[in-house]
Amino acid sequence: MDQRISLVTLGVRDMERAAAFYEALGWQRVDSPDGVIAFDLLSQTLGLYGLDALAEDIGVPAQTLGTGAMTLAHNLPDREGVDAVMASARAAGAKILKPAVESFWGGYHGYFADPDGHIWEIAHNPFSALSPEGAFRWNGY
């Protein structure tokens, strides 16, 4: 298996509400088949899929597919970008779990939950510079 993630799929209760949240953050949908809403990212795609349909596809009850046990991270080149995204997320309806603050590891970050409870970390890591396109690598580019 190659060391990469191609697609992150979030199970959501209301696909249009979830899509509107990400569109309010400035993301743009791409064409996709009925039942899936997709946003292309840098070398990956974020997909939104109905929670009940996802559970059916996996073969488990929907209540077993909780959220919050992992985070999705979005890194930015500076602290101001973190503050701007956190403000946009709040305005789009996110629940701020931790306002952006200085971190013990020397960066600056905060956390929010989207309308379905998926947790995002918004961070500036001065030790992991982003590529000119905004791509992230643990030790920088």
Side-chain angles (χ1 to χ4, degrees):
M1 180 172 157
D2 294 337
Q3 190 168 304
R4 63 180 162 79
I5 295 174
S6 304
L7 172 66
V8 173
T9 301
L10 303 179
V12 299
R13 297 193 191 293
D14 181 329
M15 290 186 50
E16 287 303 321
R17 179 190 71 177
F21 174 80
Y22 289 100
E23 289 169 337
L25 295 179
W27 291 21
Q28 296 180 359
R29 295 185 201 197
V30 295
D31 288 336
S32 58
D34 286 344
V36 177
I37 296 173
F39 299 91
D40 280 340
L41 313 174
L42 289 174
S43 74
Q44 294 104 18
T45 297
L46 179 78
L48 304 177
Y49 196 53
L51 186 62
D52 290 334
L54 181 60
E56 182 181 332
D57 189 44
I58 296 169
V60 299
Q63 61 269 24
T64 65
L65 299 180
T67 59
M70 64 170 268
T71 63
L72 300 164
H74 178 82
N75 282 56
L76 292 148
D78 53 45
R79 294 170 47 118
E80 295 78 18
V82 172
D83 290 335
V85 170
M86 293 293 289
S88 293
R90 180 188 305 275
K95 178 181 180 183
I96 303 301
L97 302 175
K98 177 181 180 180
V101 297
E102 295 290 333
S103 68
F104 71 92
W105 45 266
Y108 183 73
H109 70 145
Y111 291 92
F112 69 79
D114 76 5
D116 284 280
H118 301 105
I119 299 174
W120 285 84
E121 176 188 22
I122 307 302
H124 165 61
N125 183 337
F127 310 108
S128 296
L130 303 177
S131 76
E133 302 82 30
F136 175 85
R137 292 183 76 93
W138 190 255
N139 290 315
Y141 274 83

